[in-house]
Amino acid sequence: MDLKPTMLQERIATLDILRGISLLGILLVNMYAFYLPMPHIDLASWFTTPSDMVWQQNLDIYVQSSFYPLFAMLFGYGLAMQWQKAQSREQNFYATGVRRLVVLFMFGLVHAVLIWWGDILMTYAFCGVFLLLLLRLHPVWLLSIGIIINGFMHVFMLFIVGYINFNTSIDSYLNITAVEKAITAYGAGNWLDAFMQRLSDLSVQAGVGMWIASLFTILPYMLIGAAASKWHLVERAKELKWLWLTLTIVGLALGIFVKSMPILNTRTYLLEYIKVYVGGPILSVGYIGLIILLCMIPFVPKLLSPFAKIGRMSLTMYILQSIIGTCLFYQYGFGWYGKVSVATGILIAIGIIVVQMVFAEVWLSKWKQGPLEAIWRKLTYKVKPGDTN
């Protein structure tokens, strides 16, 4: 018997809403990389106008480093759901799972090389292979391994930070040569210039260190998400409302406090590390809990249905964001590279999400899934995009 993809009636609206909202958070952060010479600058010291500094600090506290853990947990949750469905039908999921991840990696490779260097899909596919190998484990073990791997990284990195000196202030980072090359290629060059610069930036983004680091910064959250999936924490949200209420209050309060420390105090290597790798994931849990609690209110899922619809098309929407972003900011498009404020970038991101909501509404009124999801499904399950079984 062939393994079949998840059908529409099997979808969980809260998970799609979480995916849709996380797409907004990810886009808000990715906007910097669309219109600034990332990764060659230090954002915290790049901006000089007061309004830009305030907006950047707010994004740093409430958005930066809090949505990639959320999306990684959702990825783990979804992959574990598919594995459990296969187990219930006494089917072997591993061949399908590997094929699914290989196709996702190829999507990411095309995205990174031809559209935008900051791709995350290849990383998810890479980490997904390790998650696939561990999916048989009891959820307690999945959670424990995730915490241990992430904790090992914290111990190692805090040792390095301590060696540097916990209280050393961070010097402004600026690779002026790389910055000038990026501005010339993206801000004034043609598509070929942007392509060559994209390959250069990709070599920094996707270096050997990144792949190793992803096993300590992405995989743990996938494992935590898989454990939550096996415990059916979202499906049993009403039954576990006190757990979610506790996670929400602690996650929001502690996460915002920790992420505010480098801004309220002298910005040191220690505080910056804790902000990104401790405060970010804690706030992410708070966001997840808040959205799940809101979705328990009868009218809220309908109110948030536009997010659910872009969440159903998350692969298409993620790559579409890159296409729109590069067309808006690169010279071969509208040429806005380096010419917008942080506030304007936020407004553009919100505008893109609104456009995507309209697109998703129209598309899903005719088809059951996004165009890239249909291709992914066909290549994974060997079915035609229009099939509904």
Side-chain angles (χ1 to χ4, degrees):
M1 184 183 296
D2 293 332
L3 190 61
K4 299 295 184 183
T6 300
M7 293 188 293
L8 183 59
Q9 59 268 31
E10 296 176 299
R11 300 193 71 91
I12 300 170
T14 302
L15 291 176
D16 285 330
I17 291 170
L18 281 165
R19 289 189 187 96
I21 292 175
S22 67
L23 281 170
L24 171 58
I26 289 169
L27 177 59
L28 287 169
V29 174
N30 285 348
M31 289 300 291
Y32 288 131
F34 289 142
Y35 66 79
L36 290 178
M38 304 285 288
H40 311 296
I41 62 173
D42 172 35
L43 276 176
S45 59
W46 174 261
F47 302 103
T48 56
T49 60
S51 62
D52 279 344
M53 294 169 67
V54 170
W55 280 110
Q56 186 275 325
Q57 288 174 351
N58 277 284
L59 283 177
D60 216 23
I61 294 172
Y62 298 107
V63 183
Q64 187 78 262
S65 73
S66 290
F67 282 89
Y68 82 84
L70 193 161
F71 212 76
M73 283 186 267
L74 288 172
F75 187 91
Y77 204 106
L79 196 64
M81 283 179 65
Q82 294 167 357
W83 182 85
Q84 290 172 91
K85 185 177 73 172
Q87 290 295 105
S88 68
R89 298 177 179 177
E90 298 183 348
Q91 297 165 336
N92 182 7
F93 177 69
Y94 292 101
T96 302
V98 169
R99 191 159 58 242
R100 182 177 179 83
L101 294 172
V102 168
V103 175
L104 182 64
F105 187 92
M106 296 309 297
F107 271 123
L109 183 61
V110 172
H111 175 228
V113 173
L114 297 181
I115 303 171
W116 181 57
W117 57 267
D119 174 77
I120 195 66
L121 301 177
M122 290 189 294
T123 307
Y124 275 42
F126 172 71
C127 292
V129 172
F130 293 88
L131 173 61
L132 201 61
L133 295 175
L134 298 171
L135 277 179
R136 284 188 177 274
L137 297 179
H138 189 276
V140 169
W141 280 107
L142 291 171
L143 178 64
S144 300
I145 293 172
I147 292 174
I148 289 170
I149 292 174
N150 196 239
F152 176 81
M153 181 195 73
H154 291 329
V155 171
F156 176 76
M157 290 304 299
L158 289 175
F159 173 78
I160 298 297
V161 171
Y163 180 78
I164 295 173
N165 190 337
F166 282 136
N167 297 315
T168 300
S169 298
I170 298 178
D171 296 326
S172 298
Y173 170 73
L174 181 65
N175 185 336
I176 189 63
T177 302
V179 166
E180 289 176 348
K181 286 180 62 179
I183 292 174
T184 301
Y186 296 135
N190 55 31
W191 189 91
L192 182 60
D193 295 324
F195 172 76
M196 297 306 296
Q197 181 62 37
R198 184 161 52 248
L199 294 182
S200 176
D201 289 339
L202 183 60
S203 68
V204 176
Q205 168 75 2
V208 175
M210 185 278 293
W211 298 105
I212 297 173
S214 69
L215 297 177
F216 298 91
T217 58
I218 301 293
L219 178 60
Y221 304 124
M222 291 184 175
L223 290 167
I224 292 170
S229 179
K230 286 195 167 189
W231 276 319
H232 305 291
L233 295 188
V234 175
E235 295 89 332
R236 298 165 56 211
K238 290 184 178 179
E239 174 190 342
L240 302 171
K241 62 182 177 182
W242 291 109
L243 170 64
W244 283 117
L245 182 61
T246 301
L247 290 175
T248 301
I249 294 172
V250 174
L252 292 178
L254 184 59
I256 292 172
F257 171 76
V258 172
K259 293 188 73 180
S260 300
M261 289 195 299
I263 294 171
L264 299 176
N265 302 280
T266 301
R267 185 168 172 253
T268 64
Y269 286 102
L270 175 63
L271 291 182
E272 188 68 18
Y273 178 85
I274 292 175
K275 179 199 74 176
V276 173
Y277 295 106
V278 179
I282 291 174
L283 184 57
S284 178
V285 172
Y287 286 150
I288 293 172
L290 178 62
I291 295 166
I292 288 174
L293 289 174
L294 289 174
C295 286
M296 293 183 200
I297 303 172
F299 68 88
V300 171
K302 186 172 181 62
L303 187 66
L304 296 179
S305 63
F307 282 108
K309 289 181 179 178
I310 64 173
R312 281 172 55 187
M313 300 171 59
S314 56
L315 175 61
T316 296
M317 293 303 177
Y318 172 71
I319 293 183
L320 182 59
Q321 288 175 357
S322 297
I323 293 173
I324 295 173
T326 52
C327 286
L328 287 177
F329 296 109
Y330 289 4
Q331 182 60 34
Y332 59 75
F334 284 81
W336 294 349
Y337 192 84
K339 299 177 182 178
V340 300
S341 65
V342 179
T344 301
I346 293 172
L347 290 175
I348 292 173
I350 294 172
I352 291 172
I353 288 293
V354 171
V355 169
Q356 290 189 313
M357 286 177 174
V358 174
F359 173 68
E361 183 71 34
V362 174
W363 184 273
L364 293 176
S365 68
K366 298 182 179 181
W367 294 279
K368 295 185 180 299
Q369 57 188 168
L372 295 186
E373 284 77 10
I375 297 172
W376 192 11
R377 178 186 180 187
K378 179 180 180 180
L379 295 175
T380 299
Y381 298 100
K382 300 178 181 178
V383 297
K384 296 179 181 180
D387 289 350
T388 57
N389 294 326

